[in-house]
Each structure stands twice: as C-alpha cells, then as structure tokens.
Amino acid sequence: MHTLLLAEHDNATLNAVTLNAISAAQAIGGELTVLVAGENCRAVAEQAAAVTGVTRVLLADNAAYRHPLAENIAALLDTQRSGYSHLMAVANANGKDIMPRVAALADVAQISDIIAVESPTVFKRPIYAGSVIATVESHDDPVVLTVRASSFPAAAAEGGTAPIEPLEQAITGGGARFVGEDRVVSPRPQLATARVVVSGGRALGSRENFALIEQLADKLHGAVGASRAAVDAGMVPNDLQVGQTGKVVAPELYIAVGISGAIQHLAGMSNSKVIVAINNDEEAPIFQIADYRLVGDLFEVVPQLIERL
Amino acid sequence: MKILVPVKRVVDHNVKVRVKSDHSQVDLANTKMALNPFCEIAIEEAVRLKEKGIASEIVVVTIGPDAAQEQLRTALAMGADRGLLIACDSPLEPLTLAKVLAKVVEQEQPQLILMGKQSIDGDNNQTGQMLAALCGYPQATFAAALAIEGGEALVTREVDGGLQRLALSLPAVVTTDLRLNQPRYTSLPNLMKAKRKPLNVTPFSDYGIEPRTHVSLLKVETPPARQAGVQVANVDELIDKLKHQAKVI
C-alpha cells in the first residue's frame, strides 16, 4: 500500500490539518508520499519532509499551482496516481473541491469526510448531518478519500527525513482563472485546530455584542466560532461558521453562547471533549449534549466569565 | 443561455432520522421528503438569472423515484421552464449520477450547470465536481455570489479563511453554498401553473449506464450518546468545574 496525500498549505507554511491527515494515512498503513503543489513553496515541502511517517515528498513548484484551482491540481494528481493504492486530502474547502474531480478522472468513487479507518478499504463517515455514522467499504483501486481532520490526532511535525523530489509538469488551461481573494486576517488560532473554541449565536444580537465572544476567546487563547444565525445576521464572516455546512471542530473545550443547538450546528461540534452551554432557555437543545449547563443571561454571565478567568 | 439545474429529493432537513434495528440502513418509511435546500438555492439563482434576461431557459433534472416528480413541480413553480425525471428506484452513487448527468449535458447543451454543493442525506459534496470532470468543464464550488459577464461566470467562493473570486469560461459547473441567495416561496397560482409545464419521464436504462458498486454500505449506527451533563449555578462554579473536574482551562 502506498498513499498519496495532497498537502494543505499557503505556499509558506504547511497547514496543521495536514498533520491530522498524515495520521489517517498511517492508520491505513504502507508508504506515504505527500504532494506539495504551489508556487515558491519549497519551505512547505521541507516541513512536510520533516513530519514523522512521511516516506517521500513530491514538490510541484509552478505558477500554475499558486492558487489551488481544482482543474489544474486534479489533472496533476491524475498524472501521478499510478502506483498508489490511496489518494487522499483533508476534507476542507480545497480537498472537497479537488478530490471528487480526481476520483471521476480515475473512474472511481470518492469517500468523503472519513472519521475512522477500520481497514485499508473500510472507513466510517457521518451522514445526515452527523446524526448517523455509516461504515462503508471501497471496492476501488485507487481508493480516493477526504479526511475529517478533527477526528485524527496530529502526526509529529519533526523526526522525519523524507527525500524531496521535484515534479516539472505545469498543468494549465482548465478554464478557470483566479481573480482575487478576501482573506480574513486573524491573530487567533485557526478554528479547525484550536484547543478551545468559543462560539456565539443569534442571541448576541449585534456585531458590537459579538465582541464579548472574542474577548472570552482571547482570555482562553481560543478560536472564535459562530452559528449560522450569527453569520446570516452579519455579526461575523461566514468562515467562522461551525456546523454541517461550515467547519467541523473537535476541540478540548467548546463554549456555546446563545446558540440553541440546531442539528446542523451540532454536526459541527458534538465531538468536542468538553461542551459548555450558556443559554437563557432551559429547553434549548444544546443543553442535551452539554457537559456543563449554565442557564442565564449571556450579557451578565459572559462579562463575569471574562473578569474571573 | 440555457441553464441546467440537477436537483434531489431528500429527507426534510427538520426530520431527525433513525437507523433500522438491524443497522442495515436509515429508516425512511413515512418520512417527510423535500427538495434538498442547496438545490432550492440553485433553482433560485437560475430563476434570478432568467429575470435579469441572462438565462433563456431553465431545465431542471432529477434522478430518482417517481415520487421525485413532486420536487420537480416545486422547481417548476419557482420558475424553472421544463422538468426531466430519470426514473430509478434504487439510490445511485455520486459517480453514477454524474455519468447520467453528463449524458443529459450532452443532450441539452446548457451553458451553465447550477447545482447544490451537497445533499443533506449523504453529505457527499461530490456530484458537481465529478460532473465537471466528466464534461471537461471548469468548476466553481461553494458559490456565495454569481454573475455572468463577457461570456464568463464570475463566482465568489466560500473557502477556508475567507472568500475567493474565480472567472470560469462557459460552459461551466457552479455549486451553491447557503449564502448565495434566499430561495423564494412557491405561490399557489404558480403551483397551479407548474402543473401545466412540461415534465418528461425517461427510464434510467435509456441512458445506457451500468451502475457499478464502488462503495458498499456495511452498517449504519447512531453515534455514541454523550454522558448527561450537569447544571452549574453560576460562573464561579463553572470555572471551578472546568479547572478541577474537566481540567480544560
């Protein structure tokens, strides 16, 4: 067995979620090649080569891959796939965009968002917004997968000495052109990998009030999350949304403030180790899964928390 | 410009599904079904493009049981022009769906294929990307804004860490995210009118695609229930529990 894993990065730093995917690849077993496709991204390849468990790193360093356009990256993976039993990426925006395209080019299925490896061909994955866990068996060669990063531990970022091999071909002309981007710059830890997440919902009421959530998160050195209601009300940008259609997190501590707990939100956080819910409605569904329930007005409770932590 | 909108009949998003006692499948008997929410957003976007004079015809297609005509009628009531049901009683894998849709694309020659980013039953998030690959078209997934200008689709995508803007040459596949629009409600007069719009039913076998089993479902189960939590009286008790009992702060 030999897995080819697509690295997640920003051309300078290997994104921590790749370390979780490397653990998933190790659970499958066999050799592991990491593909770093980007521009001026040698530093990323060096970081990948140093991760424990990586056998080899392929470095496709070309302007064609500066922005990970699905057409070009999927075609690149397609040229490289022979000899691999598994093709894998993290189930984030890029992995979800690229891997189904890779699978269709190879005329195989793609298994989305695996949360456990039972054997090299048997995996567990959530369906119906996480309310059901399916165990599925792949009959394909190669097996194409995306991995839910929060379900696997991070591999050690040091200790490996994998060789780096350059890939020369530049694939362009897929019909898509990068125009621009609006990045949300945040000094806080990344939502997907944070140890503590503090999330706010509709009850915050306004962008100004949402600052309470940010202050509490900063006290705990945590990331800020939100429910769909808070995003739709314009309190925070949508990349902070936790849930079925947003990010899936599993931190040590998840604090839900003013969030009722719709099934679509629970899909994104119910695997957190400890869940705290603060809500003035004793009947809120979030209380059914919370380890610690505090019934009260968030505008009284949260400032007290910030003060006493 | 012709727009093709593939849609799916799924369990209503408010229903909490149960697994069958033998863990073979999810129990969908007597469950309320509906149009997949992301598909509604795709129809709405197509209708808005028609209202702007950009789209000339909207063809909505589904692959599923006869009952899925209900969802096609909803789409027609929202403003689609013509429906196509590819009748198939057994559920199909995303790759097979994409192969059938690629045949529909070949027949209909749309300039734009607009579809949901995922269905809320399988949560796969694959069919649009696979269809784009099979047709050799560019794709823009997770669209939060869409404009057609100068023969290109300009799409703002929701990505990790912000928004990304792409320009796609047409024909192209665009999959919708939640924030693309707010789908309209269907009015009674429009539902009546939708009954007179053309809806073709074609058997799946007409498409000459042999569904292969790529992935078998071995088991379904309910995720382990969390232990019942405790109610704390105040902030001090909460901080104390988090420090000394849960040891997370």
Side-chain angles (χ1 to χ4, degrees):
Chain A
M1 273 173 302
H2 194 161
T3 298
L4 179 62
L5 168 69
L6 180 66
E8 178 69 22
H9 65 90
D10 61 0
N11 289 314
T13 311
L14 185 70
N15 191 313
V17 291
T18 307
L19 300 175
N20 304 79
I22 287 171
S23 289
Q26 286 177 309
I28 290 169
E31 291 182 72
L32 171 61
T33 294
V34 175
L35 170 63
V36 176
E39 187 187 23
N40 297 327
C41 55
R42 180 148 197 109
V44 177
E46 283 164 5
Q47 290 159 42
V51 179
T52 302
V54 176
T55 317
R56 180 171 70 143
V57 176
L58 296 176
L59 174 59
D61 193 335
N62 194 288
Y65 312 126
R66 169 149 200 89
H67 305 286
L69 297 175
E71 296 76 10
N72 303 349
I73 305 279
L76 174 69
L77 272 159
D78 194 49
T79 65
Q80 294 299 315
R81 70 178 151 87
S82 108
Y84 294 102
S85 58
H86 294 72
L87 307 178
M88 186 189 272
V90 179
N92 62 0
N94 285 330
K96 289 176 183 176
D97 190 38
I98 294 165
M99 295 313 275
R101 210 170 160 109
V102 171
L105 293 175
D107 196 28
V108 297
Q110 194 241 158
I111 300 178
S112 300
D113 234 357
I114 62 161
I115 58 169
V117 175
E118 303 282 293
S119 83
T121 54
V122 179
F123 309 93
K124 285 188 191 254
R125 62 175 301 263
I127 53 176
Y128 291 93
S131 57
V132 177
I133 306 298
T135 305
V136 296
E137 179 173 20
S138 169
H139 308 293
D140 281 325
D141 179 23
V143 181
V144 181
L145 299 164
T146 62
V147 176
R148 178 170 289 190
S150 61
S151 297
F152 294 88
E158 283 163 27
T161 50
I164 299 174
E165 293 171 24
L167 284 182
E168 298 302 338
Q169 74 265 56
I171 297 173
T172 55
R177 184 162 56 81
F178 176 84
V179 177
E181 61 190 346
D182 304 307
R183 294 255 152 217
V184 178
V185 182
S186 170
R188 297 190 182 92
Q190 263 189 312
L191 186 54
T193 50
R195 202 187 69 84
V196 176
V197 173
V198 184
S199 281
R202 190 195 307 272
L204 268 299
S206 71
R207 172 80 199 91
E208 291 69 38
N209 292 341
F210 207 90
L212 278 175
I213 300 296
E214 291 162 358
Q215 288 163 22
L216 180 55
D218 290 344
K219 273 273 180 182
L220 295 163
H221 307 290
V224 170
S227 69
R228 185 177 172 208
V231 173
D232 281 353
M235 292 181 219
V236 289
N238 52 35
D239 63 312
L240 295 190
Q241 186 183 322
V242 173
Q244 183 186 22
T245 59
K247 294 209 169 59
V248 179
V249 300
E252 300 261 301
L253 173 61
Y254 188 91
I255 304 182
V257 180
I259 292 175
S260 64
I263 183 170
Q264 290 83 0
H265 186 76
L266 303 186
M269 46 65 76
S270 58
N271 287 322
S272 305
K273 192 163 157 244
V274 174
I275 297 171
V276 173
I278 299 169
N279 207 299
N280 62 5
D281 175 9
E282 277 183 59
E283 304 294 318
I286 190 83
F287 283 140
Q288 290 167 18
I289 66 154
D291 299 286
Y292 299 105
R293 311 188 292 268
L294 182 49
V295 180
D297 182 351
L298 71 93
F299 294 108
E300 287 170 20
V301 171
V302 177
Q304 284 176 24
L305 258 176
I306 294 167
E307 187 192 308
R308 290 177 206 176
L309 278 168
Chain B
M1 178 169 94
K2 188 197 266 191
I3 302 181
L4 180 71
V5 185
V7 301
K8 190 176 181 190
R9 172 183 168 93
V10 298
V11 172
D12 185 275
H13 72 281
N14 287 312
V15 172
K16 180 137 175 59
V17 296
R18 290 174 197 288
V19 303
K20 287 185 180 170
S21 53
D22 64 357
H23 295 281
S24 63
Q25 246 311 349
V26 171
D27 190 357
L28 296 181
N30 306 314
T31 313
K32 188 182 174 213
M33 304 297 279
L35 199 50
N36 181 47
F38 293 101
C39 303
E40 283 188 335
I41 294 170
I43 299 160
E44 174 67 33
E45 198 64 18
V47 173
R48 289 185 189 188
L49 287 171
K50 194 174 177 197
E51 287 167 348
K52 286 179 194 157
I54 293 167
S56 50
E57 189 189 20
I58 302 167
V59 180
V60 55
V61 58
T62 193
I63 305 163
D66 218 38
Q69 286 197 32
E70 199 186 327
Q71 279 65 46
L72 287 179
R73 290 290 173 201
T74 305
L76 294 172
M78 286 176 73
D81 296 296
R82 182 154 66 81
L84 178 57
L85 170 68
I86 299 166
C88 181
D89 280 327
S90 49
L92 299 174
E93 295 184 32
L95 182 61
T96 309
L97 295 172
K99 285 180 178 176
V100 178
L101 291 173
K103 294 264 184 188
V104 177
V105 167
E106 203 178 298
Q107 282 169 2
E108 297 281 346
Q109 296 287 318
Q111 283 295 98
L112 181 66
I113 300 129
L114 252 173
M115 56 199 290
K117 74 165 180 181
Q118 75 191 66
S119 63
I120 59 166
D121 48 4
D123 283 337
N124 282 308
N125 197 329
Q126 298 174 3
T127 310
Q129 296 89 316
M130 288 180 159
L131 175 61
L134 296 176
C135 296
Y137 292 171
Q139 69 186 45
T141 49
F142 325 139
L146 168 66
I148 307 292
E149 274 173 37
E152 285 184 317
L154 306 181
V155 186
T156 303
R157 301 179 59 226
E158 295 191 9
V159 295
D160 301 320
L163 296 170
Q164 180 195 58
R165 295 187 299 281
L166 295 181
L168 308 182
S169 62
L170 297 174
V173 175
V174 174
T175 76
T176 63
D177 216 321
L178 278 172
R179 264 158 299 274
L180 183 59
N181 61 48
Q182 186 69 49
R184 68 195 62 193
Y185 290 105
T186 47
S187 66
L188 189 59
N190 283 340
L191 275 167
M192 299 305 288
K193 268 188 238 163
K195 287 189 178 159
R196 293 192 296 274
K197 288 185 178 177
L199 195 165
N200 276 317
V201 181
T202 318
F204 174 75
S205 54
D206 277 16
Y207 288 84
I209 287 162
E210 202 56 51
R212 293 209 319 265
T213 304
H214 295 272
V215 178
S216 327
L217 182 63
L218 301 183
K219 185 170 68 171
V220 292
E221 57 200 322
T222 308
R226 293 185 72 96
Q227 297 251 316
V230 295
Q231 181 153 343
V232 294
N234 53 46
V235 165
D236 291 327
E237 192 187 340
L238 176 62
I239 292 175
D240 180 69
K241 296 266 193 210
L242 291 178
K243 273 194 176 140
H244 301 109
Q245 193 179 63
K247 297 189 168 66
V248 286
I249 57 171

